[in-house]
Amino acid sequence: FTDEQTVLATDADGNALSSVTFNPRDTVKLRVPLRPQNDVCTVHFRISPTVVPGGGDLRELGARFLAFDYERP
């Protein structure tokens, strides 16, 4: 990647919870406020842009997540 990427965190209904835009060589933190629905917290991550390497490799690659931490409210 050479251009900025954005990671958008959404809930199960697609509502935006948090986002971060960063340069490809940066390491950033994304804090996501969890909102339980029926006692379950669901978060989906959308990354833009992504890239397909080609040469028979059809994977869609995006941001790399290094860790997930949960802090109880």
Side-chain angles (χ1 to χ4, degrees), residues 32-36 41 70-73:
V32 180
L34 300 178
R35 298 180 186 148
C41 294
Y70 172 74
E71 293 181 18
R72 190 177 200 117

Side-chain angles (χ1 to χ4, degrees), residues 40-67:
V40 176
C41 294
T42 301
V43 178
H44 298 275
F45 297 99
R46 296 181 189 168
I47 295 94
S48 178
T50 59
V51 67
V52 175
D57 186 345
L58 303 177
R59 296 174 298 154
E60 185 176 10
L61 304 177
R64 180 175 163 208
F65 290 77
L66 299 176

Side-chain angles (χ1 to χ4, degrees), residues 24-45:
R25 298 196 192 283
D26 292 345
T27 298
V28 297
K29 290 186 178 184
L30 174 62
R31 298 187 187 276
V32 180
L34 300 178
R35 298 180 186 148
Q37 294 176 336
N38 300 319
D39 294 324
V40 176
C41 294
T42 301
V43 178
H44 298 275
F45 297 99

